[in-house]
Amino acid sequence: ETLLEALTAEERAALHACGESRSVPAGRMVYEEGEEGDSIFLVLGGSCESFSQAIVTARMDQGSFFGEAGLIEQHLASQQWDLSKLFEGLDAGKRRRRPTTVVAAANAKLLEVPLAEAERILKPNREAWAMISTKGSLRIHKLHHMKAGADHIYVF
């Protein structure tokens, strides 16, 4: 099941109401590593890939999402968690900055939703929030290992 499938019709409508639709041609960049980021992206069609150090770190197909690192950080900060271990190995100044570059692998239709609105709409849906938290944490963990020079990388 994808994130979009886990959402109710009302949640999808609420995301569309506060989000911005974007069409991104294949090969075109959605955002670049290091850019400030205050939104999450839902993949409504096509696919995207994230890269760091010229290595593909994830592929996001229709129904998936990306840009969730800021959402996870925002949530953990609101819970007064110590984020230093979670983001260890990533440049300290890059929090709230995109940790990877994302490019449309195929013509992509995206919905860009501000983090605060995404959290307000998605957090009450336990299944959707668990997907974002789990997949996002795994992506951050993988990126940390990659940047720390691990000898093997898992693609999620």
Side-chain angles (χ1 to χ4, degrees):
E1 182 175 52
T2 68
L3 177 63
L4 290 177
E5 292 169 339
L7 300 176
T8 65
E10 293 81 17
E11 290 164 336
R12 284 192 299 275
L15 289 170
H16 278 280
C18 65
E20 181 181 331
S21 292
R22 294 179 54 186
S23 293
V24 184
R28 190 72 52 88
M29 188 183 325
V30 177
Y31 59 71
E32 188 171 11
E33 184 173 345
E35 282 182 14
E36 290 187 19
D38 63 353
S39 58
I40 185 171
F41 292 83
L42 304 177
V43 182
L44 304 178
S47 62
C48 294
E49 292 180 330
S50 66
F51 295 85
S52 185
Q53 301 173 359
I55 297 172
V56 175
T57 59
R59 181 177 176 93
M60 294 76 61
D61 294 313
Q62 184 173 338
S64 191
F65 60 92
F66 59 93
E68 74 284 351
L71 188 60
I72 292 168
E73 179 188 351
Q74 179 174 293
H75 172 69
L76 293 177
S78 74
Q79 302 298 309
Q80 299 180 341
W81 284 40
D82 177 8
L83 303 176
S84 59
K85 290 292 182 199
L86 180 63
F87 291 94
E88 186 177 57
L90 298 178
D91 297 335
K94 293 212 176 182
R95 292 191 188 154
R96 296 289 175 145
R97 294 190 178 270
R98 303 293 187 187
T100 61
T101 295
V102 173
V103 174
N107 291 338
K109 182 171 180 172
L110 307 174
L111 181 65
E112 182 176 9
V113 181
L115 291 179
E117 294 299 314
E119 184 173 19
R120 178 183 63 78
I121 296 165
L122 298 172
K123 195 172 177 184
N125 181 323
R126 295 178 73 127
E127 183 180 359
W129 192 253
M131 270 185 218
I132 291 168
S133 299
T134 301
K135 186 158 271 229
S137 296
L138 289 170
R139 288 177 183 166
I140 291 167
H141 179 75
K142 175 184 160 189
L143 189 58
H144 164 73
H145 280 284
M146 187 187 80
K147 290 188 176 202
D151 61 353
H152 57 278
I153 304 293
Y154 300 102
V155 175
F156 298 100

